[in-house]
């Protein structure tokens, strides 16, 4: 047996070399032919997303208009509310505010905002706010293309399907320009693509930058660690963790040193904010669990629930009959974080999109999930419309009648209709998680492995034998006890 072979008959991904080891299942060559198609499709969807916002843009993003037509964005109002119109620099310059006085985003998102503000300085003062929105849209559209291409690259032989599942998503069209989330989404997709090419240090650098843009990519360290433990890929794990820490510190440390209060705002705001729109706690507090509205208890319940779910995912990863694929565990950890979270904004669907395309590239559940996201997207805006107008809003039957008459609920929807929308999203996302768990426990039902692949996005994990398996260790312990 050669040094690059294992007892299980697989080539050791950490020491094997050559063209087959440099790209996931030859995805690089395949993707080159798909780049024009995927870029064109994504650009078209992004253009449609911009057009979907135009009825509100022409009205200066008036809140009633934006909620009625479902074309709200944070980008335009925050340009004024966060002091960018006065050329205040995020984190270093404070602004007048009741809740906080500094930009409440991680530093790379604040840097993104500042760069766009520099770019729009040639515009007149009256036109600068809309220019800030439009330039941001262009850059976010570029990031959407990057996300699609990186996801397709990591998907192996299913690159076209995975890319189109992201590019043609109705959720991408509707939510791409609500906030700056696509920055973290694109960096995370690039990190997965780099890992799939067996470049763990680069993957770590990109993941650290993603965490510097939005906190949620930090959750993905857990799946990487779990799978590296199961396969014994300690060197790759170390490079990933070192790259993550180095890039995160490189971006954050200057702001921490010279603008501590501004840097800390994101973290203190995340800890102290209460139940927000989209959270399951929004329903629970009205149905016998009033105590969860208290912030310390809310944080305890939400964080504790996620910790238990993450632990269960760890057991699943280490005990499953066959090693789970990396995107499967990444998706499960993200869903475990979102389900008990106290905040679940409409644009968070963008976090899930690339992972769903990689973890479970099957259309029926995907389409059902997208339907749930669309229902919630319009449900939240119409509910906020009724809240802002201080009216009860239409019930579920009245809303359906209005929509079937090709009209919009001009007074929004009531609380019960909003609850239906919230549960539609919650249940469809939960269903995705359940199906992924089933695929892990029954690998023959996994669409990717049914094609003969192992883990195209797995990089050094792809075709790697087990170095540690929890069920095997438990069996050994039982044998020792009975001996």
């Amino acid at each position: 047996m050669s040094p690059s072979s294992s007892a299980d008959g697989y080539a050791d991904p950490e020491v094997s070399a050559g063209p087959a080891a440099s790209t996931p299942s030859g995805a690089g060559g395949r993707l080159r032919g798909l780049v024009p198609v995927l870029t064109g499709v994504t650009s078209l969807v992004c253009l449609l997303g911009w057009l979907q916002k135009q009825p509100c843009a022409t009205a200066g993003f008036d809140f009633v208009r934006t909620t009625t037509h479902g074309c709200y964005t944070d980008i335009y109002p925050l340009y004024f509310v966060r002091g960018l119109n006065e050329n205040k620099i995020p984190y270093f310059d404070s602004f007048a505010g009741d809740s906080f006085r500094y930009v409440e985003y991680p530093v790379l998102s604040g840097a993104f905002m500042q760069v766009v503000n520099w770019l729009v300085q040639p515009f007149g003062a009256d036109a600068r706010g809309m220019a800030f929105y439009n330039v941001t849209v262009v850059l976010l559209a570029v990031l959407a293309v990057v996300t699609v291409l990186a996801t397709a690259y990591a998907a192996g032989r299913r690159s076209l399907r995975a890319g189109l599942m992201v590019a043609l998503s109705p959720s991408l069209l509707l939510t791409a320009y609500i906030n700056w989330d696509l920055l973290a989404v694109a960096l995370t997709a690039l990190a997965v693509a780099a890992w799939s090419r067996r470049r763990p240090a680069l993957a770590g650098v990109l993941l650290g930058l993603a965490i510097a843009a939005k906190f949620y990519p930090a959750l993905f360290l857990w799946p990487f660690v779990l799978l590296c433990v199961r396969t014994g890929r300690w060197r790759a794990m170390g490079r990933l963790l070192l790259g993550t820490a180095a890039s995160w510190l490189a971006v954050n440390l200057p702001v921490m040193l010279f603008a501590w209060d501004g840097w800390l705002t994101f973290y203190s705001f995340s800890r102290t904010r209460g139940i927000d729109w989209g959270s399951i706690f929004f329903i629970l507090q009205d149905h016998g669990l009033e105590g969860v509205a208290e912030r310390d208890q809310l944080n305890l319940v939400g964080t504790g629930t996620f910790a238990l779910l993450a632990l269960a995912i760890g057991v699943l990863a280490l005990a499953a009959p066959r090693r789970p694929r990396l995107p499967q565990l990444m998706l499960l950890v993200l869903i475990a974080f979102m389900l008990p979270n106290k905040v679940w904004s409409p644009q968070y669907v963008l976090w899930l999109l690339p992972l769903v395309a990689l973890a479970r590239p099957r259309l029926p559940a995907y389409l059902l999930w997208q339907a749930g996201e669309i229902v919630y997207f319009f449900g939240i805006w119409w509910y906020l419309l009724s809240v802002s107008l201080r009216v009860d809003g239409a019930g579920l039957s009245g809303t359906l009648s209005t929509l079937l008459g090709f009209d919009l609920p001009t007074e929004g929807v009531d609380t019960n209709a909003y609850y239906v929308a919230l549960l539609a999203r919650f249940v469809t996302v939960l269903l995705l998680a359940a199906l992924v768990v089933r695929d892990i426990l029954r690998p023959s039902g996994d669409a990717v492995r049914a094609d003969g692949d192992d883990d195209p996005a797995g990089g050094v994990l792809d075709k790697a034998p087990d170095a540690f398996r929890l069920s095997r260790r438990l069996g050994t312990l039982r044998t020792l006890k009975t001996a």
Side-chain angles (χ1 to χ4, degrees):
M1 184 177 292
S2 68
S4 62
S5 299
S6 72
D8 292 52
Y10 293 123
D12 188 336
E14 288 206 288
V15 297
S16 61
S22 63
T23 58
S25 306
R30 235 184 340 270
L31 185 60
R32 277 192 290 273
L34 297 177
V35 166
V37 174
L38 293 177
T39 300
V41 170
T42 309
S43 300
L44 177 60
V45 171
C46 288
L47 175 61
L48 294 175
W50 178 78
L51 292 174
Q52 191 265 340
K53 297 285 189 289
Q54 285 311 290
C56 301
T58 55
F61 289 103
D62 170 75
F63 189 75
V64 172
R65 185 73 174 265
T66 59
T67 49
T68 302
H69 292 268
C71 46
Y72 175 82
T73 177
D74 284 326
I75 296 168
Y76 180 82
L78 289 187
Y79 172 76
F80 299 95
V81 177
R82 298 299 178 259
L84 293 167
N85 62 317
E86 299 174 1
N87 291 322
K88 292 184 180 292
I89 299 176
Y91 316 110
F92 291 87
D93 295 331
S94 64
F95 48 80
D98 296 330
S99 301
F100 35 78
R101 299 184 299 111
Y102 298 94
V103 168
E104 74 280 22
Y105 294 96
V107 297
L108 203 59
S109 292
F112 186 99
M113 297 160 68
Q114 181 59 40
V115 168
V116 175
N117 199 28
W118 282 330
L119 293 175
V120 301
Q121 290 306 305
F123 291 86
D126 293 340
R128 206 169 288 157
M130 196 57 66
F132 180 85
Y133 167 74
N134 286 320
V135 171
T136 300
V137 163
V138 172
L139 295 179
L140 291 176
V142 172
L143 291 171
V145 172
V146 170
T147 300
V148 169
L149 296 180
T151 302
Y153 181 85
R157 72 178 73 187
R158 286 179 170 265
S159 53
L160 179 60
R161 170 174 286 221
L164 290 178
M165 285 176 71
V166 180
L168 290 174
S169 164
S171 293
L172 177 65
L173 188 156
L174 293 171
T175 68
Y177 310 133
I178 291 179
N179 203 283
W180 292 269
D181 293 65
L182 274 172
L183 176 59
V185 172
L187 287 167
T188 302
L190 287 171
V192 174
W195 179 269
S196 74
R197 197 171 179 176
R198 305 168 193 268
R199 300 184 66 181
L202 177 59
V205 168
L206 291 165
L207 190 60
L209 294 176
I211 298 168
K214 205 83 176 177
F215 177 76
Y216 83 89
L219 304 170
F220 300 141
L221 292 173
W222 182 230
F224 279 108
V225 168
L226 288 169
L227 293 177
C228 285
V229 167
R230 176 152 180 171
T231 58
R233 297 307 188 236
W234 306 107
R235 188 188 313 166
M237 184 178 76
R239 289 176 177 174
L240 175 86
L241 296 176
L242 184 61
T244 302
S247 63
W248 185 89
L249 280 173
V251 172
N252 280 269
L253 197 57
V255 183
M256 294 168 67
L257 291 175
F258 299 106
W260 173 258
D261 289 341
W263 178 85
L264 192 62
T265 296
F266 164 73
Y267 301 95
S268 58
F269 175 60
S270 298
R271 177 179 56 83
T272 59
R273 72 188 303 180
I275 296 173
D276 212 331
W277 318 112
S279 170
I280 191 64
F281 292 115
F282 195 82
I283 295 179
L284 296 179
Q285 69 178 345
D286 289 340
H287 291 79
L289 290 177
E290 295 88 350
V292 297
E294 198 276 319
R295 289 177 183 175
D296 289 340
Q297 184 172 345
L298 176 64
N299 289 335
L300 179 62
V301 171
T303 304
T305 302
F306 167 68
L308 290 174
L309 291 173
L311 180 61
I313 291 169
V315 172
L316 176 67
L318 297 176
R322 184 174 178 180
R323 168 183 39 79
R325 292 187 293 110
L326 176 63
Q328 291 176 319
L329 287 192
M330 292 177 71
L331 179 61
L332 288 180
V333 168
L334 183 54
I335 291 176
F337 174 74
M338 297 171 81
L339 291 178
N341 208 326
K342 57 186 178 181
V343 183
W344 192 343
S345 300
Q347 72 273 13
Y348 289 5
V349 63
L350 298 171
W351 305 359
L352 295 166
L353 263 178
L355 297 178
V356 172
L358 292 173
R360 202 168 194 281
R362 292 185 182 274
L363 289 181
Y366 168 85
L367 293 174
L368 182 63
W369 164 56
Q370 285 294 288
E373 294 286 355
I374 293 170
V375 168
Y376 182 77
F377 177 84
F378 288 102
I380 178 59
W381 303 129
W382 291 338
Y383 178 62
L384 291 178
L385 173 62
S386 69
V387 171
S388 64
L389 295 176
R390 298 184 179 181
V391 297
D392 291 336
L396 183 60
S397 60
T399 302
L400 292 175
S401 298
T402 301
L403 295 176
L404 290 174
F406 299 99
D407 203 355
L408 297 174
T410 55
E411 292 189 345
V413 300
D414 66 10
T415 302
N416 289 330
Y418 173 64
Y419 286 165
V420 170
L422 191 155
L423 289 173
R425 179 178 66 173
F426 188 92
V427 170
T428 52
V429 171
L430 183 61
L431 175 63
L432 280 177
L435 291 172
V436 170
V437 171
R438 188 186 68 174
D439 290 345
I440 291 173
L441 295 175
R442 195 184 66 184
S444 61
D446 181 358
V448 174
R449 284 178 166 164
D451 284 347
D453 289 329
D454 179 46
D455 189 359
V460 299
L461 307 170
D462 188 30
K463 297 182 174 65
D466 286 341
F468 174 90
R469 185 174 159 196
L470 188 59
S471 57
R472 186 181 300 166
R473 293 299 175 93
L474 293 175
T476 302
L477 289 175
R478 291 193 198 98
T479 303
L480 291 174
K481 287 180 179 180
T482 57

